[in-house]
Coordinates of all heavy atoms in Angstrom, one line a residue:
V152 N -28.9 -1.0 -8.4 CA -28.5 -2.1 -9.2 C -27.3 -1.7 -10.0 O -27.2 -0.7 -10.8 CB -29.7 -2.4 -10.2 CG1 -29.3 -3.6 -11.1 CG2 -31.0 -2.7 -9.4
V153 N -26.2 -2.5 -9.8 CA -24.9 -2.1 -10.3 C -24.5 -3.0 -11.5 O -24.7 -4.3 -11.4 CB -23.9 -2.3 -9.2 CG1 -22.5 -1.9 -9.7 CG2 -24.2 -1.4 -8.0
N154 N -24.0 -2.4 -12.6 CA -23.5 -3.2 -13.7 C -22.3 -2.6 -14.1 O -22.2 -1.3 -14.3 CB -24.6 -3.1 -14.9 CG -25.7 -4.1 -14.6 OD1 -25.6 -5.3 -14.9 ND2 -26.9 -3.6 -14.1
G155 N -21.2 -3.4 -14.5 CA -19.9 -2.9 -15.0 C -18.8 -3.7 -14.6 O -18.9 -4.9 -14.2
Q156 N -17.7 -3.1 -14.7 CA -16.4 -4.0 -14.4 C -15.3 -3.1 -13.8 O -15.2 -1.9 -14.2 CB -15.8 -4.5 -15.8 CG -14.6 -5.3 -15.6 CD -13.9 -5.7 -17.0 OE1 -14.6 -5.5 -18.0 NE2 -12.8 -6.3 -16.9
K157 N -14.6 -3.7 -12.9 CA -13.5 -3.0 -12.3 C -12.2 -3.9 -12.6 O -12.4 -5.1 -12.8 CB -13.6 -2.9 -10.8 CG -14.8 -2.0 -10.4 CD -14.6 -0.5 -10.8 CE -15.7 0.4 -10.3 NZ -15.5 1.8 -10.7
I190 N -20.2 -2.5 -1.2 CA -20.9 -3.8 -1.7 C -20.3 -5.0 -1.1 O -19.1 -5.2 -1.0 CB -20.6 -3.7 -3.2 CG1 -21.2 -2.5 -3.9 CG2 -21.3 -5.0 -3.9 CD1 -20.9 -2.3 -5.4
D191 N -21.2 -6.0 -0.7 CA -20.9 -7.2 -0.2 C -20.4 -8.1 -1.4 O -21.1 -8.3 -2.4 CB -22.0 -7.9 0.4 CG -21.8 -9.2 1.1 OD1 -20.8 -9.9 0.8 OD2 -22.5 -9.6 2.1
M192 N -19.1 -8.6 -1.3 CA -18.5 -9.3 -2.4 C -19.2 -10.7 -2.5 O -18.9 -11.4 -3.6 CB -17.0 -9.6 -2.1 CG -16.2 -8.3 -2.2 SD -16.1 -7.8 -4.0 CE -15.0 -9.0 -4.7
N193 N -20.0 -11.2 -1.7 CA -20.8 -12.4 -1.7 C -22.0 -12.2 -2.4 O -22.9 -13.1 -2.5 CB -21.0 -13.1 -0.5 CG -19.6 -13.5 0.1 OD1 -18.8 -14.2 -0.6 ND2 -19.4 -13.1 1.4
S194 N -22.4 -10.9 -2.9 CA -23.7 -10.6 -3.5 C -23.7 -11.4 -4.8 O -22.8 -11.5 -5.6 CB -23.8 -9.1 -3.8 OG -23.7 -8.4 -2.7
P195 N -25.0 -11.9 -5.1 CA -25.2 -12.5 -6.4 C -24.9 -11.5 -7.6 O -25.3 -10.4 -7.5 CB -26.7 -12.9 -6.4 CG -27.1 -13.0 -5.0 CD -26.3 -12.0 -4.3
G196 N -24.3 -12.1 -8.6 CA -23.9 -11.2 -9.8 C -22.5 -10.7 -9.8 O -22.1 -10.1 -10.7
I197 N -21.7 -11.0 -8.7 CA -20.3 -10.6 -8.7 C -19.4 -11.7 -9.1 O -19.6 -12.8 -8.6 CB -19.9 -10.0 -7.3 CG1 -20.6 -8.7 -7.0 CG2 -18.5 -9.9 -7.2 CD1 -20.3 -8.2 -5.6
T198 N -18.5 -11.6 -10.0 CA -17.6 -12.5 -10.5 C -16.2 -11.9 -10.4 O -15.9 -10.8 -10.8 CB -17.8 -12.9 -12.0 OG1 -19.1 -13.4 -12.1 CG2 -16.8 -13.9 -12.4
V199 N -15.2 -12.7 -9.7 CA -14.0 -12.3 -9.5 C -13.0 -13.1 -10.4 O -13.1 -14.4 -10.3 CB -13.5 -12.3 -8.0 CG1 -11.9 -12.1 -7.9 CG2 -14.3 -11.4 -7.2
R200 N -12.3 -12.5 -11.4 CA -11.4 -13.3 -12.2 C -10.0 -12.9 -12.0 O -9.6 -11.7 -12.1 CB -11.9 -13.0 -13.7 CG -11.0 -13.8 -14.7 CD -11.4 -13.4 -16.2 NE -12.8 -13.7 -16.4 CZ -13.5 -13.1 -17.4 NH1 -12.9 -12.4 -18.4 NH2 -14.7 -13.4 -17.7
E213 N -9.9 -8.9 -12.0 CA -11.0 -8.3 -12.6 C -12.3 -8.6 -11.8 O -12.4 -9.8 -11.3 CB -11.2 -8.7 -14.0 CG -10.1 -8.4 -15.0 CD -10.4 -9.1 -16.3 OE1 -10.2 -10.3 -16.5 OE2 -10.7 -8.3 -17.3
V214 N -13.1 -7.5 -11.6 CA -14.4 -7.8 -10.8 C -15.5 -7.4 -11.7 O -15.6 -6.2 -12.2 CB -14.3 -7.1 -9.6 CG1 -15.7 -7.4 -8.7 CG2 -13.2 -7.5 -8.6
F215 N -16.4 -8.3 -12.0 CA -17.6 -8.0 -12.9 C -18.9 -7.9 -12.0 O -19.1 -8.7 -11.1 CB -17.8 -9.1 -13.9 CG -16.5 -9.2 -14.7 CD1 -15.5 -10.0 -14.5 CD2 -16.6 -8.5 -15.9 CE1 -14.4 -10.2 -15.3 CE2 -15.4 -8.6 -16.9 CZ -14.4 -9.5 -16.5
F216 N -19.7 -6.9 -12.3 CA -21.0 -6.7 -11.6 C -22.1 -6.9 -12.6 O -22.2 -6.1 -13.7 CB -21.1 -5.3 -11.1 CG -19.9 -5.0 -10.1 CD1 -18.7 -4.5 -10.5 CD2 -20.2 -5.3 -8.7 CE1 -17.7 -4.3 -9.6 CE2 -19.1 -5.0 -7.8 CZ -17.9 -4.5 -8.2
D217 N -22.9 -7.9 -12.5 CA -24.1 -8.1 -13.4 C -25.4 -8.0 -12.6 O -25.7 -9.0 -11.8 CB -24.0 -9.4 -14.1 CG -22.7 -9.5 -14.9 OD1 -22.6 -8.7 -15.9 OD2 -21.8 -10.4 -14.6
D218 N -26.1 -6.9 -12.6 CA -27.3 -6.7 -11.9 C -27.2 -7.0 -10.5 O -28.0 -7.7 -9.8 CB -28.5 -7.5 -12.5 CG -28.9 -7.1 -13.9 OD1 -28.8 -5.9 -14.1 OD2 -29.3 -7.9 -14.7
V219 N -26.2 -6.5 -9.9 CA -25.9 -6.7 -8.5 C -26.8 -5.7 -7.6 O -26.7 -4.5 -7.9 CB -24.3 -6.5 -8.1 CG1 -24.1 -6.6 -6.6 CG2 -23.5 -7.5 -8.8
R220 N -27.5 -6.2 -6.7 CA -28.4 -5.4 -5.9 C -27.7 -5.0 -4.6 O -27.3 -5.9 -3.9 CB -29.7 -6.2 -5.7 CG -30.5 -6.4 -7.0 CD -31.9 -6.9 -6.8 NE -32.7 -6.0 -6.2 CZ -33.5 -5.1 -6.9 NH1 -33.4 -5.0 -8.2 NH2 -34.3 -4.3 -6.2
V221 N -27.7 -3.7 -4.4 CA -27.0 -3.2 -3.2 C -28.0 -2.4 -2.3 O -28.7 -1.5 -2.9 CB -25.8 -2.3 -3.6 CG1 -25.1 -1.7 -2.3 CG2 -24.8 -3.1 -4.5

Side-chain angles (χ1 to χ4, degrees):
V152 180
V153 181
N154 285 279
Q156 177 188 355
K157 298 294 178 178
I190 304 176
D191 188 332
M192 287 291 286
N193 293 310
S194 303
I197 292 182
T198 302
V199 177
R200 182 183 299 167
E213 296 175 286
V214 181
F215 299 88
F216 301 87
D217 296 300
D218 291 328
V219 177
R220 298 185 69 83
V221 181

